[in-house]
Amino acid sequence: MFALELPATGVFDCWRMQARGLAGRNVRSRDVVWRRHGSPPSLLAGEAFPDGDAPGVAMTVPKAFLVLAREASCHRDEHVFALLYDLLLRVMHDGDILSNPADPAVRQLEVMAKSVRRDAHKMKAFVRFKELPQDDGNRRRFAAWFEPEHFILEHVAGFFVRRFADMDWLIATPRGSLSCVGGDLAIDATPAVNSNLSDGVEDLWRTYYGNIFNPARLKVKAMQAEMPRKYWKNLPEASLIPELIRGAEARAQGMRLAAATPPPSHLAKIKAPAVPPASAATGDFTSLADLHESARHCRRCDLCLHATQTVCGEGSSTARIMFVGEQPGDKEDIAGKPFVGPAGALFAQALAQAGLARADVYVTNAVKHFKFQPRGKRRIHQRPNGTEINICRWWLTQEIRLVQPRLLVGMGATAMLALTGDGSRVMSRRGRVEETPEQRTVLPTLHPSAILRASNAGEADAMKTLFFDDIKSAASFVS
Amino acid sequence: MTQLTVQKKLEILSDAAKYDASCASSGTARRHSDSRGGLGSTEGHGICHAYAPDGRCISLLKILMTNFCIYDCAFCINRASSNVARARFSVEEIITLTIEFYRRNYIEGLFLSSGIIKSPDATMVDMLRVVRALRMDHDFRGYIHLKTIPHASPALIEEAGRYADRLSVNIEFPSDESFARLAPEKDVTEIKKAMAGIRTHISDASEKTMVSKKARTFAPAGQSTQMIVGADAANDSVILSRAAGLYGSYALKRVYYSAFSPIPDSSRILPLIKPPMMREHRLYQADWLLRFYGFSLDEVTSTTETGMLDLDVDPKLAYALRNRHLFPVNVNTAAREMLMRIPGMGVKSVKRILEARRHGLLRYDDLARLGGRMKTAKAFLASGDWTPGRLLDSAHLRSSFVAPEQLSLI
């Protein structure tokens, strides 16, 4: 039987070293009694552990064991050291045990580690520093009193060091103190006493706490689940809680019953003008700018609800060619401009090859809002339906009337449907010009997105050649 | 006008800020102070430093710069036509409060919002003066959440993203009609465009440039938004569909749902109701199903009656009750997607089940140890030694989960 007393600080490292030695000598778990520094010795006092290194055994354990052991060893129940040693002996034979959360010993230690983590978290949350008068140095000095449940001071020290590097601080607890003066951390295991300091800033903090509380949403249990009563006595704001709870219902009721007061007399002077209502545009636009402004507020169909913005056409108001696509995509919806995404890049290439400058043509879409299905953090493009195309054709017709292009290029079946009323496959239609009901000439071609969706590189190349040829034909048609 | 004390201003400007539900301080880049200087740190997950009796966490100093406002949004305590007391903090006052609260470990950082004074740009410029000084002059390394002002110019938003951990713009309502009716001076398209702009900056910043391998910093904790629940007639299906659209469109970290709550000196056009807290809670649960449990929007909204989520049982349980043919799920063989649909099993318990079952057949008693809420789960799962049998098909199954209304003595 061995009886081991762990030191006041550096507990885990000592346990680790001792456990390694015991395991190396094949000492069984039930033959060791562990106790924390200063706790009363067991009645079964045994022999002290022999000095010197254990016989050389290579001892490797999964990293997860050390993580678990380091946390669990802070637990106030000193039985934890025996549980850990017992588990160590098992883990040495079968490292896989740890990954079985249904193993009762693993589970028990995990529950203990969790309790330690929660305590550490609450310490980071509920320590309240109070300022001390400055001494000769120029660093500000703060002190706090906290009552942790477990032996967590070493475990949380790093957090306070990283956070408050430019001040000196002391956290005193019944389980010892942490301090950092001039950047040097010190841990003292001697139990401290509460010196009940006060700090003027606490009044401001209480003002904030009382006013950020919404009396119409009283949920006392939810508060207590996260901020249990045992912490209240060291929280300056907690003294307000009973009064806030008592007065809540009357305050909420008072707000409900109070009649609205007339607005202040200077309201008209300070108030911003209202956004003009989404009026039904009449179609007597005299310029593209006029049309674009009106289209911004379009609510003709439901697509505006989820899209970011109306994406109108852009380009020359006297363009000889107007290119019509299907609808803005994800990138276009965000940017508010047509053909700026991947399909836009392909379209730009085609224009360049045909010797056309984007500024000289007009580029627009059959439908002006992006239609999509949200899928997590992405948006999956959806084809607009006949009704949506029909409703949005109104805008397209206005754009055509204002630009008066000599040639319309319908890219894809949706554009062709909007322009000619015929939405059949464009691959069988390309090569010939068609007409709109108003007898304007339309050249059908494929949509650049179709090329991006091609199933293989060969097919994509072939489609790209066709598309580029069509754009060249359009250029020579108007030259 | 007499000069208000800082204490009085804090009273007014924190009272004015409490209707914004967000108080998160998690998920930002890790930083800390050290011997070379600085104050503050961020370490992955945020810390709630206190809880108010409304059950809400207090993690940040959440205040308005000013509650003077040129907009007259009906739902808002600070609307131009309200007669609430008005105040305005100076830049120095906000900085002092933030730093002094931070040094005493009251907060993780600052959440700064504001009423709109003069113009959106003028307001944004003033807010930027605060956060710029905190970061540059005071070397403050704690968390900053900045409410960006819609209609503010893109260059200002870009600068905001350099100092703030999180940016947010509130969409306020699930439908554009409600927005136009209740916030008549604001343009909902401008709100969406602001979110779109932030998304673009965030994704640009995450791409490494040719010049430096290090990505630029832009709002490392992402962006969020808030919707008010219960001030308009929109039902839960409409709200969730709006939320799903926003998550897909703007890479939002969170959509906050805020039950419409009585405010002092409320507007005549909005009824002051008891805030629909349970409805708000169910919406958060449904939001979680969409984001972490692999449910589609249609699956979640299929559990609604006339568009409203069941208030008596949570949406995952409601889904299971309506789709009993998919259950019981065998915990020893089922795929993760199905385990995630067992009511009473959360993401963590499912992870533990998947780990534990590699070591042997799971029995009923194991499941409780793995963190399952067995009272709910037992009707929907089968294990080595358990099958729910007729329990699953019982006509009383739903009512067994609904807490009876409390009787009280008169």
Side-chain angles (χ1 to χ4, degrees):
Chain A
M1 177 69 74
F2 295 103
L4 298 176
E5 183 180 344
L6 294 160
T9 57
V11 175
F12 176 71
D13 291 333
C14 177
W15 175 85
R16 185 179 173 178
M17 201 185 71
Q18 300 285 17
R20 194 204 299 257
L22 290 165
R25 292 181 165 83
N26 293 316
V27 176
R28 290 169 308 176
S29 173
R30 61 163 184 257
D31 292 335
V32 192
V33 181
W34 304 87
R35 62 191 172 88
R36 281 195 180 273
H37 176 77
S39 82
S42 147
L43 292 174
L44 306 164
E47 53 187 302
F49 187 68
D51 285 337
D53 273 351
V57 274
M59 202 172 293
T60 53
V61 291
K63 196 175 165 210
F65 177 77
L66 289 178
V67 173
L68 174 68
R70 190 179 290 278
E71 277 176 353
S73 68
C74 302
H75 202 279
R76 65 166 184 263
D77 182 354
E78 61 190 358
H79 187 50
V80 72
F81 299 108
L83 288 170
L84 281 172
Y85 182 61
D86 201 41
L87 185 63
L88 171 69
L89 296 180
R90 288 176 62 210
V91 164
M92 282 165 54
H93 295 291
D94 177 8
D96 219 19
I97 298 171
L98 276 186
S99 63
N100 181 8
D103 183 285
V106 172
R107 187 74 192 133
Q108 187 182 3
L109 281 164
E110 269 178 1
V111 168
M112 291 175 113
K114 190 177 171 187
S115 173
V116 167
R117 278 198 300 273
R118 183 176 160 91
D119 197 33
H121 184 77
K122 293 300 179 197
M123 178 163 174
K124 294 174 193 172
F126 297 149
V127 156
R128 295 284 183 263
F129 282 118
K130 294 153 199 267
E131 183 152 29
L132 301 172
Q134 224 154 312
D135 56 10
D136 43 2
N138 53 5
R139 284 165 75 88
R140 292 175 63 184
R141 302 160 67 228
F142 292 83
W145 169 254
F146 187 75
E147 296 171 36
E149 230 174 275
H150 301 295
F151 293 89
I152 53 173
L153 292 192
E154 289 174 60
H155 195 62
V156 298
F159 168 82
F160 290 99
V161 170
R162 289 188 294 275
R163 178 154 290 198
F164 299 110
D166 72 347
M167 61 193 219
D168 292 344
W169 51 265
L170 163 81
I171 303 172
T173 86
R175 300 187 189 281
S177 322
L178 280 179
S179 67
C180 195
V181 176
D184 296 324
L185 174 70
I187 301 170
D188 179 352
T190 320
V193 288
N194 187 2
S195 45
N196 290 310
L197 302 166
S198 66
D199 183 322
V201 174
E202 285 179 352
D203 281 340
L204 285 171
W205 173 238
R206 273 190 285 264
T207 300
Y208 177 66
Y209 183 82
N211 282 285
I212 204 69
F213 161 63
N214 183 345
R217 300 180 54 107
L218 201 59
K219 263 190 181 172
V220 179
K221 266 196 204 147
M223 168 186 65
Q224 288 196 11
E226 296 297 340
M227 197 168 83
R229 264 174 190 278
K230 65 178 178 194
Y231 294 110
W232 291 12
K233 61 177 183 293
N234 294 318
L235 294 170
E237 65 274 23
S239 60
L240 297 178
I241 294 173
E243 180 54 36
L244 290 176
I245 295 174
R246 249 196 319 276
E249 181 54 35
R251 282 171 68 195
Q253 186 65 9
M255 287 188 274
R256 280 195 286 271
L257 294 180
T261 55
S265 51
H266 59 278
L267 176 64
K269 252 190 284 176
I270 57 166
K271 201 167 80 108
V275 174
S279 59
T282 50
D284 46 6
F285 311 116
T286 52
S287 71
L288 283 171
D290 226 16
L291 175 142
H292 291 169
E293 179 51 34
S294 176
R296 265 166 45 83
H297 307 291
C298 178
R299 303 232 189 292
R300 289 172 172 251
C301 71
D302 285 342
L303 290 187
C304 60
L305 189 59
H306 292 299
T308 301
Q309 53 192 320
T310 313
V311 181
C312 284
E314 67 172 16
S316 162
S317 60
T318 55
R320 283 178 294 176
I321 313 181
M322 181 185 287
F323 292 92
V324 184
E326 184 198 55
Q327 64 165 346
D330 176 71
K331 290 264 163 45
E332 288 80 9
D333 172 77
I334 297 295
K337 291 170 182 297
F339 284 94
V340 293
L346 208 53
F347 175 63
Q349 266 183 45
L351 282 185
Q353 289 230 348
L356 293 169
R358 179 133 174 186
D360 295 335
V361 299
Y362 190 86
V363 185
T364 190
N365 282 301
V367 171
K368 309 289 192 242
H369 277 121
F370 179 31
K371 183 178 184 183
F372 64 92
Q373 266 289 320
R375 197 71 53 78
K377 290 193 171 179
R378 299 183 182 285
R379 307 194 272 187
I380 311 297
H381 162 274
Q382 284 203 305
R383 277 183 88 137
N385 63 33
T387 316
E388 287 147 358
I389 296 169
N390 224 343
I391 291 173
C392 217
R393 179 189 287 135
W394 190 86
W395 290 109
L396 182 60
T397 311
Q398 296 296 324
E399 285 178 301
I400 296 171
R401 179 179 68 75
L402 287 168
V403 176
Q404 296 282 340
R406 279 179 53 201
L407 176 68
L408 289 154
V409 179
M411 300 190 286
T414 300
M416 287 306 290
L417 174 63
L419 290 167
T420 66
D422 174 4
S424 59
R425 279 171 50 82
V426 286
M427 285 304 272
S428 53
R429 295 159 74 177
R430 48 173 298 280
R432 291 183 302 272
V433 292
E434 301 182 21
E435 276 192 344
T436 68
E438 298 82 21
Q439 279 93 46
R440 288 187 177 277
T441 313
V442 184
L443 182 75
T445 184
L446 48 163
H447 195 281
S449 300
I451 302 169
L452 297 172
R453 283 197 302 267
S455 50
N456 60 62
E459 193 191 345
D461 281 345
M463 289 167 83
K464 199 167 153 183
T465 309
L466 296 182
F467 177 62
F468 280 31
D469 285 350
D470 286 346
I471 307 297
K472 274 183 210 147
S473 317
S476 50
F477 183 91
V478 296
S479 65
Chain B
M1 199 160 61
T2 52
Q3 187 65 40
L4 297 174
T5 61
V6 171
Q7 178 133 5
K8 187 70 196 164
K9 288 183 186 178
L10 181 60
E11 219 170 85
I12 295 169
L13 294 170
S14 54
D15 191 69
K18 69 178 154 214
Y19 302 96
D20 214 303
S22 164
C23 201
S25 54
S26 325
T28 192
R30 281 165 186 265
R31 341 173 256 271
H32 61 82
S33 56
D34 53 35
S35 55
R36 277 160 298 163
L39 169 68
S41 61
T42 51
E43 314 213 333
H45 41 243
I47 297 173
C48 298
H49 285 274
Y51 288 81
D54 50 21
R56 282 183 161 170
C57 131
I58 300 175
S59 173
L60 304 171
L61 170 62
K62 181 160 48 176
I63 46 172
L64 298 196
M65 183 176 72
T66 176
N67 66 338
F68 287 103
C69 194
I70 57 174
Y71 292 147
D72 200 34
C73 307
F75 57 91
C76 182
I77 175 177
N78 307 311
R79 67 186 190 288
S81 62
S82 161
N83 286 298
V84 291
R86 306 275 173 176
R88 177 175 181 170
F89 275 131
S90 71
V91 172
E92 292 68 29
E93 284 166 341
I94 299 174
I95 289 170
T96 305
L97 280 172
T98 307
I99 299 246
E100 293 308 315
F101 280 14
Y102 196 87
R103 285 194 184 285
R104 285 158 181 80
N105 204 39
Y106 301 160
I107 53 171
E108 288 292 286
L110 173 69
F111 177 174
L112 186 62
S113 181
S114 184
I116 318 288
I117 34 174
K118 287 184 273 185
S119 71
D121 271 358
T123 309
M124 197 74 215
V125 164
D126 285 350
M127 291 169 81
L128 279 175
R129 284 173 54 212
V130 175
V131 290
R132 192 190 303 117
L134 268 175
R135 290 284 194 234
M136 311 304 283
D137 305 341
H138 297 268
D139 207 352
F140 177 68
R141 302 181 191 180
Y143 190 95
I144 296 179
H145 178 160
L146 199 61
K147 178 99 356 203
T148 48
I149 306 298
H151 298 257
S153 68
L156 296 176
I157 307 278
E158 193 179 354
E159 192 181 354
R162 286 209 297 274
Y163 304 127
D165 291 284
R166 168 166 290 183
L167 297 176
S168 64
V169 195
N170 286 353
I171 189 83
E172 311 291 13
F173 290 102
S175 82
D176 293 359
E177 284 70 31
S178 300
F179 192 99
R181 186 166 59 87
L182 299 169
E185 296 87 23
K186 284 192 197 165
D187 182 351
V188 69
T189 304
E190 290 301 320
I191 307 269
K192 294 181 189 172
K193 278 162 73 174
M195 288 196 270
I198 294 171
R199 175 193 123 170
T200 308
H201 284 307
I202 290 173
S203 66
D204 285 355
S206 68
E207 283 167 17
K208 295 178 176 59
T209 58
M210 299 283 281
V211 187
S212 75
K213 291 268 166 54
K214 208 164 160 268
R216 284 177 301 125
T217 306
F218 187 93
Q223 67 168 328
S224 61
T225 191
Q226 169 169 298
M227 252 189 276
I228 300 167
V229 176
D232 65 349
N235 64 32
D236 294 344
S237 292
V238 171
I239 292 174
L240 289 169
S241 135
R242 170 76 110 184
L246 293 171
Y247 279 122
S249 301
Y250 309 120
L252 292 167
K253 281 280 159 68
R254 287 285 294 274
V255 171
Y256 289 92
Y257 306 93
S258 176
F260 180 59
S261 164
I263 49 173
D265 195 21
S266 70
S267 148
R268 225 174 294 248
I269 65 171
L270 282 178
L272 281 190
I273 47 169
K274 253 193 159 42
M277 312 252 290
M278 185 48 89
R279 187 179 170 200
E280 176 191 283
H281 180 56
R282 295 288 183 238
L283 282 166
Y284 277 115
Q285 290 177 318
D287 182 282
W288 247 246
L289 294 186
L290 291 175
R291 292 193 297 139
F292 305 119
Y293 286 78
F295 281 71
S296 72
L297 179 63
D298 288 344
E299 284 171 329
V300 174
T301 55
S302 74
T303 70
T304 61
E305 292 275 359
T306 59
M308 297 300 272
L309 293 167
D310 196 329
L311 291 180
D312 293 332
V313 295
D314 69 78
K316 193 167 142 187
L317 180 54
Y319 176 85
L321 288 166
R322 280 166 188 251
N323 294 279
R324 297 191 203 185
H325 58 282
L326 302 174
F327 298 90
V329 171
N330 188 324
V331 293
N332 285 299
T333 55
R336 183 172 181 275
E337 300 87 87
M338 279 316 292
L339 293 175
M340 297 281 270
R341 292 186 179 225
I342 305 173
M345 290 289 172
V347 178
K348 274 191 193 156
S349 347
V350 167
K351 185 168 168 262
R352 290 198 200 107
I353 288 176
L354 289 169
E355 280 168 9
R357 76 185 187 187
R358 291 190 291 120
H359 296 268
L361 207 60
L362 294 178
R363 286 162 302 112
Y364 185 89
D365 288 343
D366 294 327
L367 295 171
R369 264 206 298 276
L370 296 176
R373 261 191 304 119
M374 297 309 289
K375 218 176 118 203
T376 313
K378 68 179 180 193
F380 301 97
L381 59 80
S383 61
D385 58 347
W386 168 260
T387 138
R390 258 180 282 171
L391 182 60
L392 177 57
D393 300 314
S394 155
H396 304 296
L397 185 55
R398 182 178 186 283
S399 56
S400 72
F401 295 117
V402 179
E405 257 187 64
Q406 282 198 345
L407 299 177
S408 52
L409 294 170
I410 48 168

